[in-house]
């Protein structure tokens, strides 16, 4: 026995350097030599070397997350091009007009640019709209670094971008390998929790809200400390509504919300709720006392590297999409994860189209109806002209088989409108709604391109149109040129609300350049709704999210900021407005 | 020789690279390049500088229609070129600053990151759960030889194949494999040295006991 151990140990030492260079995904890299074959054979039967490989895999994952392609770009491309002398003009940017709190009109006669998503396995061949476009919407994407070192620009975007770089890295790393029984105590150290008051210098925009009753709800927002944006200064804040006021309840440092539309919070009772920070590695759970991370531990060999989507649709049904590593997961593999109330399991995403950049994938919405689950999102599609247009991603799961189907919009050629899908809600297995935007690109004289977007609303009505998603024309007036629909909530078929935004620039817009869209469906007609609330002189309110309470009350939330001009703005304050029996009211917010 | 002749030939007849393609290249690779340089330098600001410098080189090469910055070459070649230039600039930068450093593990010198790095040192969590400490990882990476670190970053973080890595670094495939092996083993050892309470998976395996 001892001799056997010694023999194996000798082999372990002999193969140590070979195995450290082993990359299962690269079959051409020194892996086909007889010695490597021998090392592989040894590895199969040696727990010690297998454990070593797990260490390397864990380190690889951390290195990849910290320094890999997911790193946020340090510069805006247009600025970098100008800095290196490739262009003489920066990309078109519009100064933000002072905006009113909300502005939108109703007119549903514009069908341009819409497409149909058929509920079949075949791609839709719709060629009615303009060709390719470029980036996803400004309102859901953090600006890449907004300043070059020699060209300090404006608004502290670079600091934000730097923070995001660090935090995406940190968040990607934190918890990538947590185990439930140890993670909470560990997190208590690494993610400082604060429950006394929200620091006065903290940002305070609201990203998501959920009401488990008319008098109990929670909201999730930004709590990054200004002006010094560092990994230790970023954070998220939770607010609680007790039937009277919204009150700051908890701050968790080390996390950052850089994509409002993908952030989620879902309360099922006053003592059971879930929240998701985009690109984090673990959802957060509320147990009646505090919000804590609830790491996802998989029963299979794969390990979760980073979440790209998450939502709980009931206390015992959760869905996520995540980058996985290890096990049978290939490099950059994204799969769905299913929570049945007890454990998480991996479910294969049936899509790997070669023309889509999987690294850009965002799964922003899940909705469940008896027998089916739908998921929506978007990714980018690199093309020769460099536009990298978004492409909507649509998935449907038949629960009896447990198999996901993927529906790609259009073909990868030209002539197909580019879309991004942001949210979906099913009111029944045969009826649902989906929101996003259709993006158009125009070529400028300097060779650069400008994006515009129109809101995209799709209806699934099996009785009326069969198994397909049919566009519902939406036209929203106003000066913005990048109009998108971001969130949709429904109670039944006759009380459905949509929140969106209208940006006056195509990308990297500051908040002053965004106004809000709010639409309501009563079962027959969509109408735009304008909250009539006085936000004060020079105060701009931007709705970022909404929620319906079980009694049908609508809550909208977002941020109010005083704006005197494009580059001067005061501290951000959260707001919560309620729409009850046709009357708008503003709730008191306590942050201290 | 044949390669050189080919380059010279391509230089004389090369088709200009459209601005849109150059823009695409910038857009596609600047984040990855920046990540690579951050890993090499451990200094975000310097990484930003060198990212910009690398693309300045690329634009000059584009204007001169040097390979692979003409329409006759494919995007993969340009990607390798960018990382090759970035690698050389990083090495040069480290030499100039005399910080090809075997950095102290005393990261607590930086109070801003102390909590991040060491906040859970007391906890008896397994190795896999502990490498999540981002700053600790960066500190450990800085202790690698820059050539080994470059190899690790290219292969693991950037997804280059062994052959591509060898091309970027100007070494043989075998040498690249050795560097990767050395980098992985050393990084693991450094990390464990830095975090003595960590217990590697290999220690947990009782196969040798």
């Amino acid at each position: 026995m001892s001799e056997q151990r010694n023999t194996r140990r000798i082999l372990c030492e002999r193969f140590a350097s070979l195995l450290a260079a082993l990359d299962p995904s690269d079959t051409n890299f020194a892996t086909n030599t007889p010695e490597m074959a021998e090392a592989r054979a040894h590895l199969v039967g040696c727990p010690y070397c297998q454990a070593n490989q797990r260490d390397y895999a864990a380190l690889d994952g951390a290195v990849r997350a910290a320094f890999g392609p997911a790193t946020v770009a340090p510069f805006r491309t247009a600025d970098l091009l100008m800095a290196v002398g490739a262009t003489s003009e920066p990309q078109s940017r519009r100064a933000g007009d002072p905006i009113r709190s909300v502005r939108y009109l109703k007119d549903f006669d514009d069908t341009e640019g819409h497409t149909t998503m058929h509920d079949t396995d075949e791609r839709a061949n719709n060629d009615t709209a303009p060709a390719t476009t470029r980036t996803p919407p400004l309102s859901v994407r953090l600006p890449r670094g907004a300043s070059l070192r020699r060209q300090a620009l404006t608004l502290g975007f670079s600091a934000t971008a730097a923070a995001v770089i660090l935090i995406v890295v940190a968040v990607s790393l934190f918890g990538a390998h947590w185990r439930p029984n140890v993670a909470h105590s560990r997190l208590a150290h690494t993610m400082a929790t604060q429950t006394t008051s929200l620091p006065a210098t903290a940002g305070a925009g609201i990203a998501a809200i959920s009401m488990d009753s008319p008098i109990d709800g929670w909201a999730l927002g930004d709590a990054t400390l200004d002006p010094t944006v560092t990994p230790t200064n970023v954070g998220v804040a939770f607010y609680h509504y007790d039937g009277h006021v919204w009150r700051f309840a908890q701050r968790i440092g080390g996390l950052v919300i850089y994509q409002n539309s993908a952030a989620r919070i879902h309360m099922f009772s006053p003592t059971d709720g879930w929240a998701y920070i985009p690109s984090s590695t673990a959802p957060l759970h509320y147990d009646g006392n505090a919000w804590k991370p609830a790491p996802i531990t998989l029963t299979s060999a794969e390990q979760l590297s980073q979440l790209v989507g998450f939502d709980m649709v009931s206390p015992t049904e959760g869905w996520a999409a995540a980058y996985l590593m290890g096990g049978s997961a290939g490099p950059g593999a994204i799969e769905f994860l299913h929570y049945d109330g007890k454990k998480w399991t991996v479910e294969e995403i049936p899509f790997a189209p070669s023309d889509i950049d999987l690294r850009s994938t965002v799964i922003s919405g899940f909705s469940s109806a008896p027998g089916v689950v739908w998921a929506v999102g978007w990714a980018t599609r690199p093309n020769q002209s460099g536009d990298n247009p978004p492409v909507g991603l649509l998935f449907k799961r038949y629960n009896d088989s447990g198999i996901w189907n993927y529906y790609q919009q259009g073909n990868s050629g030209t002539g197909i409108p580019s879309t991004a899908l942001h949210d979906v809600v099913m009111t029944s297995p045969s009826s649902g709604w989906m929101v996003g935007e259709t993006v158009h690109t125009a070529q400028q004289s300097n060779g650069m391109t400008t994006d515009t977007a129109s809101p995209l609303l799709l209806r699934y009505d099996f009785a009326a149109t069969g198994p397909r998603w049919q566009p519902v024309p939406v036209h929203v007036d106003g000066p913005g040129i990048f109009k998108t629909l971001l969130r949709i909530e429904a109670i039944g078929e006759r009380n459905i609300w949509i929140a969106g935004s209208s940006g006056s620039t195509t990308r990297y817009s500051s908040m002053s350049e965004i106004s809000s869209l709010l639409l309501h469906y009563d079962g027959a007609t969509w109408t735009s709704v304008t909250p009539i609330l006085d936000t004060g002189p020079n105060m701009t309110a931007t709705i970022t999210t909404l929620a319906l309470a079980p009694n049908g009350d609508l809550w909208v939330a977002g941020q109010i900021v005083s704006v005197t001009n494009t580059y001067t703005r005061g501290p951000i304050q959260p707001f919560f407005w309620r729409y009850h029996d046709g009357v708008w009211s503003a709730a008191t917010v306590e942050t201290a | 020789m044949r390669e050189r002749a080919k380059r010279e030939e391509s230089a004389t007849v090369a088709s200009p690279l459209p601005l849109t393609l150059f823009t695409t290249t910038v857009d596609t690779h600047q984040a990855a390049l920046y990540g690579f340089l951050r890993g090499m330098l451990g200094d975000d600001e310097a990484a930003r500088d060198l990212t910009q410098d690398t693309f300045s080189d690329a634009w000059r090469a584009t204007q001169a229609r040097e390979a692979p910055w003409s329409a006759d070459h494919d995007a993969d070649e340009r990607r390798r070129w960018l990382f090759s230039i970035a690698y050389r600039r990083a090495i040069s930068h480290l030499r100039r600053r005399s910080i090809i450093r075997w950095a102290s593990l005393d990261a607590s010198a930086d109070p801003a990151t102390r909590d991040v790095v060491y906040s859970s040192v007391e906890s008896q969590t397994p190795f896999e759960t502990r490498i999540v400490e981002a700053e600790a990882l960066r500190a450990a990476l800085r202790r690698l030889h820059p050539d080994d670190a470059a190899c690790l970053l290219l292969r693991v973080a950037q997804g280059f194949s062994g052959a591509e890595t060898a091309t970027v670094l100007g070494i043989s495939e075998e040498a690249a494999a050795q560097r990767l092996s050395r980098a992985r083993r050393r990084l693991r050892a450094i990390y464990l040295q830095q975090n003595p309470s960590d217990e590697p998976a290999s220690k947990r395996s009782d196969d040798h006991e």
Side-chain angles (χ1 to χ4, degrees), chain A residues 159-179:
Chain A
T160 306
V164 168
I165 291 165
L166 291 168
I167 296 314
V168 166
V169 166
V171 166
S172 300
L173 294 175
F174 287 149
H177 312 285
W178 286 341
R179 295 179 177 184

Side-chain angles (χ1 to χ4, degrees), chain A residues 194-200 202 248-251 590-592:
Chain A
Q194 182 175 355
T195 57
T196 52
S197 64
L198 186 64
F248 165 73
Q250 185 180 350
R251 179 180 184 275
E590 294 181 358
T591 57

Side-chain angles (χ1 to χ4, degrees), chain A residues 314-397:
Chain A
S314 81
T316 57
E317 183 184 0
W319 295 98
Y323 289 104
L324 302 181
M325 58 186 183
S328 60
I334 299 178
E335 304 290 6
F336 281 127
L337 308 176
H338 177 218
Y339 180 66
D340 63 3
K342 295 177 181 174
K343 64 182 186 304
W344 288 92
T345 52
V346 178
E347 296 192 355
E348 184 181 356
I349 285 186
F351 91 118
S354 58
D355 60 336
I356 290 180
D357 181 1
L358 292 176
R359 293 170 301 178
S360 62
T361 302
V362 172
I363 304 297
S364 48
F366 291 93
S367 187
S368 179
V372 295
V373 179
W374 289 90
V376 299
W378 53 271
T380 57
R381 177 191 284 153
N383 61 15
Q384 282 295 314
S385 60
D387 294 331
N388 298 337
V391 56
L393 305 176
L394 175 62
F395 304 92
K396 182 181 186 181
R397 179 187 193 264

Side-chain angles (χ1 to χ4, degrees), chain A residues 24-211:
Chain A
S25 67
D26 186 356
T27 55
N28 295 317
F29 184 55
T31 56
N32 297 324
T33 63
E35 192 175 20
M36 184 54 86
E38 205 176 339
R40 282 181 183 277
H42 166 77
L43 179 62
V44 169
C46 178
Y48 176 82
C49 289
Q50 288 170 7
N52 267 343
Q53 293 303 103
R54 285 198 294 275
D55 285 352
Y56 295 140
L59 276 171
D60 283 357
V63 169
R64 196 174 299 116
F67 306 109
T71 304
V72 175
F75 307 117
R76 295 195 309 176
T77 299
D79 292 336
L80 185 52
L81 288 171
M82 191 169 64
V84 304
T87 60
S88 56
E89 297 289 335
Q91 186 174 354
S92 171
R93 299 182 75 234
R94 289 189 183 185
D97 298 329
I99 66 168
R100 297 180 292 275
S101 58
V102 269
R103 57 185 178 207
Y104 24 71
L105 295 172
K106 180 187 74 167
D107 184 0
F108 297 135
D109 60 0
D110 178 11
T111 57
E112 182 184 5
H114 288 159
T115 186
T116 301
M117 288 190 171
H118 297 272
D119 184 10
T120 70
D121 286 335
E122 295 180 0
R123 293 172 173 181
N125 288 309
N126 190 317
D127 58 359
T128 59
T132 55
T133 59
R134 58 193 295 143
T135 58
L138 59 98
S139 54
V140 296
R141 207 179 223 199
L142 184 81
R144 298 176 186 178
S147 65
L148 297 176
R149 69 186 190 276
R150 301 182 185 103
Q151 295 175 308
L153 293 180
T154 58
L155 306 179
F157 278 179
S158 60
T160 306
V164 168
I165 291 165
L166 291 168
I167 296 314
V168 166
V169 166
V171 166
S172 300
L173 294 175
F174 287 149
H177 312 285
W178 286 341
R179 295 179 177 184
N181 59 338
V182 296
H184 289 188
S185 61
R186 186 175 162 281
L187 193 78
H189 293 287
T190 56
M191 291 185 180
T193 293
Q194 182 175 355
T195 57
T196 52
S197 64
L198 186 64
T201 61
I206 301 299
I209 181 174
S210 177
M211 306 296 296

